[in-house]
Amino acid sequence: MNQRAELLVVSAWVLLAVTPGWAGLGVQKIGDGVVDPQALTIQGGFGQAINGLAFQQDAVVTHGKHQYVGYYDGRRRVCLARRMLPAGDWEVIRFSDYDFRSNDAHNTISIGICPQDGTIHIAFDHHVHPLHYRVSQKDVADASQETTWDVSLFGPIRSELEEGKPIRITYPRFWQTLGGGLQFCYRQGGSGNGDRMLVDYDAATGTWRNTHQIDSGKGRFQDALGESLSRCSYPNGYDYGPAGKLHATWVWREDSQGANHDLMYAYSEDQGITWLNNDQQVLAGPARVDSPGITVVEISQTYGLMNTHGQAVDSRGRVHVVMWHCTEESLKAAGSKPGEQRWGPPEARRYHHYRRDLDGRWHHVELPWVAGNRPKVFTDADDNAYLIYGVTSDATCVIDGHRCAKGDLVVAGATAASNWKDWSLLCVEKGPFIKEMLGDVYRWKQEAVLSVMAQESPPSPHEATPLRILDYAIAKR
């Protein structure tokens, strides 16, 4: 399909997006605030965005009465902003003791908050680099608005979590346990040859402990493209369900230049020490490509499967994943064939909702429109599902095959009553935005308010632009 045809497909999709949703769900914008008018943009092989990419868990976090955002400002400083909810002024700590030099979009910031002791944790600037990490004093996240918000609340930059064990990492992730603890996850090794590690924070002592491996790049994999003996995982997320199980879904990448394959699933009942497969059988060590019972959906490398999408666990413990890839039918309609392009032609990509029932059965629904960039998934108290992502109407403004250089924010939804078969487009927030869309999971769970971080596209390369938080209330029609 030529560029004009691509634009016609996407333009028709945008017209569909502004029609009322047929899923019985509605979206109302209730807030739009600027976190920083001068946030960093970069110019590298992976696009212009450094604040807000799909592998950040998390960049926006609510705790108590405050919301926090981690980002780089236009002077390349690591920043942590906070505001009093629902619409207080943003206060910003700008750490001046670190010189961020990278133009690599992998080197994002992730933040975590431990409810047990009120500490705020920040990890930043990694792509197989030594750890860059700092933590606040205790009770900082629980402090009142009157507490002076400045660098004195935080300790120095550290290169290790456990004493005497310096680490080199990629893709840092924080998440809270149901008991108010905090965990840290990262990849050890590189793309196509890496392992995933998990570490526990001990709030009683203020230390990290129990570093252990949770998946492995080892094992033999063979398909129509050949044989591979090493790989790495790309997780959609790590989320605790209502029964205290830690759920993980991911895809494998066999080669750093290749596409991905298959949807994998495992869960843990002891906070990530022991893992079980989809059939409730204990895995013998870290999950591997040849571990039995973890491949839940077979998806060929030739279908352009993208990595690091959206995952959520609903109120009953059902796992929801939305990823984009092509199919035989969509490729044929686009005048292409499997494996011809790494990520498939844009007009052949579709979002696919994969859902796990409590009995371990997986279900699939293909969403009825052309996919945008990598989505994030949220479920409400009634288990309705919501999707946020970016889309562009200009085919020349797509970076690295999938990121939007000039995009709009889209909110979509589907009802549990329909078994999530009535996906509809609920809202389009006009940009242009440069990033993948990230939402505040914690505020969503507390208030059913969807706070989305969005940064405006730069008029020229490297020009700093406003970083905003857009707030939406979700209501049934």
Side-chain angles (χ1 to χ4, degrees), residues 67-87:
Q67 187 174 59
Y68 301 85
V69 176
Y71 69 99
Y72 297 104
D73 71 7
R75 293 176 57 185
R76 291 183 165 267
R77 293 173 293 191
V78 175
C79 296
L80 184 65
R82 76 167 185 179
R83 67 168 173 173
M84 179 78 80
L85 291 173

Side-chain angles (χ1 to χ4, degrees), residues 300-372:
S300 169
Q301 294 184 80
T302 63
Y303 286 168
L305 172 63
M306 181 46 63
N307 56 268
T308 321
H309 289 90
Q311 173 185 292
V313 182
D314 69 25
S315 69
R316 294 180 56 190
R318 294 169 295 195
V319 179
H320 299 259
V321 177
V322 177
M323 311 188 299
W324 66 252
H325 58 78
C326 307
T327 65
E328 291 277 357
E329 294 76 15
S330 69
L331 286 167
K332 184 177 180 180
S336 185
K337 59 184 179 181
E340 193 169 53
Q341 297 183 39
R342 183 185 186 187
W343 305 123
E347 66 273 19
R349 301 169 188 166
R350 300 291 185 272
Y351 290 125
H352 296 264
H353 177 198
Y354 296 102
R355 168 175 58 88
R356 182 182 190 267
D357 274 345
L358 298 182
D359 60 6
R361 289 184 298 172
W362 285 82
H363 305 266
H364 167 244
V365 173
E366 180 178 321
L367 277 61
W369 57 77
V370 174

Side-chain angles (χ1 to χ4, degrees), residues 34-42 48-52 69-79 81 92 94 100 109 434-435 453-469:
V34 175
V35 180
D36 195 319
Q38 297 285 307
L40 181 65
T41 70
I42 60 174
Q48 298 174 308
I50 189 69
N51 298 315
V69 176
Y71 69 99
Y72 297 104
D73 71 7
R75 293 176 57 185
R76 291 183 165 267
R77 293 173 293 191
V78 175
C79 296
V92 181
R94 304 178 192 274
F100 177 65
I109 296 173
I434 61 171
K435 55 185 287 302
M453 187 170 82
Q455 185 172 354
E456 297 176 18
S457 300
S460 58
H462 293 289
E463 187 171 341
T465 63
L467 179 68
R468 293 156 55 188
I469 294 290

Side-chain angles (χ1 to χ4, degrees), residues 26-33 67 83 85-86 378 380 386-389 407-412 426-431 433 437-440 443-454 468-475:
V27 175
Q28 180 184 5
K29 186 177 179 182
I30 59 173
D32 187 344
Q67 187 174 59
R83 67 168 173 173
L85 291 173
F378 302 81
D380 65 19
Y386 302 86
L387 204 62
I388 60 172
Y389 57 93
D408 301 328
L409 163 65
V410 179
V411 182
L426 305 178
C427 172
V428 175
E429 180 78 34
K430 300 299 292 183
F433 302 121
M437 301 303 167
L438 300 181
D440 183 340
R443 189 179 187 195
W444 171 255
K445 291 179 178 178
Q446 290 177 198
E447 305 177 26
V449 172
L450 185 57
S451 289
V452 182
M453 187 170 82
R468 293 156 55 188
I469 294 290
L470 312 173
D471 294 326
Y472 297 90
I474 310 294

